[in-house]
Amino acid sequence: MSIPANLKYTKDHEWVNLEGDIATVGITHFAQKELGDIVYVEVETLDQTLEKDEVFGTVEAVKTVSDLFLPLSGEIIEFNTGLEDAPELVNSDPYGAGWMIKIKVSDLAEFDTLLTAEGYKELIGA
C-alpha cells in the first residue's frame, strides 16, 4: 500500500501536501480502497473559509457516501474539476490526479499536528 513519506496525514484518511501556505488535499490509498469504486466527489465549499475538521465535501462510492474533513483551517481556493468527469481518478491515482482541493492555509502551525507517514502506517496497521 502506498503511503508517500513526503505527505502528512489525518486520522480521517486525508493526505496533505503543503507548499508555502497552499495545501493540496486528497484521500489516501487506504481510504479509496476501503470505499471501493468512487462514482462522485462533491465539494460545495469552494471560496469558503472553514476551520480544521469541518466537513468540506463528500465522496460517493458504489456502496456508501463519506464526509470529507478539512485537515487544516483556511480558504478552499480550488477544486479538482477533473473529478467531475472522472471521479475514478481518486481510485487510480489518489496522490496525483485524484487530488480534491487546494486550501490557502490560515494557521500553518496546524500542519505540524498532522500524522507523518510512519504515524499513519501505525494508525491503519500497515
Side-chain angles (χ1 to χ4, degrees), residues 33-122:
K33 186 176 167 201
E34 291 292 305
L35 288 168
D37 292 335
I38 307 292
V39 295
Y40 189 67
V41 178
E42 180 175 51
V43 174
E44 293 185 348
T45 51
L46 189 61
D47 300 324
Q48 292 182 26
T49 299
L50 301 174
E51 295 298 315
K52 181 179 191 235
D53 298 327
E54 283 192 77
V55 174
F56 73 83
T58 57
V59 61
E60 183 176 339
V62 173
K63 298 177 186 172
T64 188
V65 175
S66 188
D67 285 337
L68 298 166
F69 298 95
L70 202 64
L72 301 167
S73 300
E75 180 184 359
I76 298 173
I77 59 170
E78 189 175 345
F79 168 65
N80 182 355
T81 56
L83 299 180
E84 292 175 344
D85 294 326
E88 65 276 5
L89 289 171
V90 175
N91 294 114
S92 63
D93 191 10
Y95 301 112
W99 66 273
M100 295 181 172
I101 61 167
K102 292 192 179 187
I103 308 164
K104 183 168 178 45
V105 179
S106 58
D107 184 356
L108 292 172
E110 290 177 347
F111 185 72
D112 295 329
T113 68
L114 299 176
L115 298 170
T116 63
E118 287 303 314
Y120 186 68
K121 285 178 188 176
E122 287 179 28

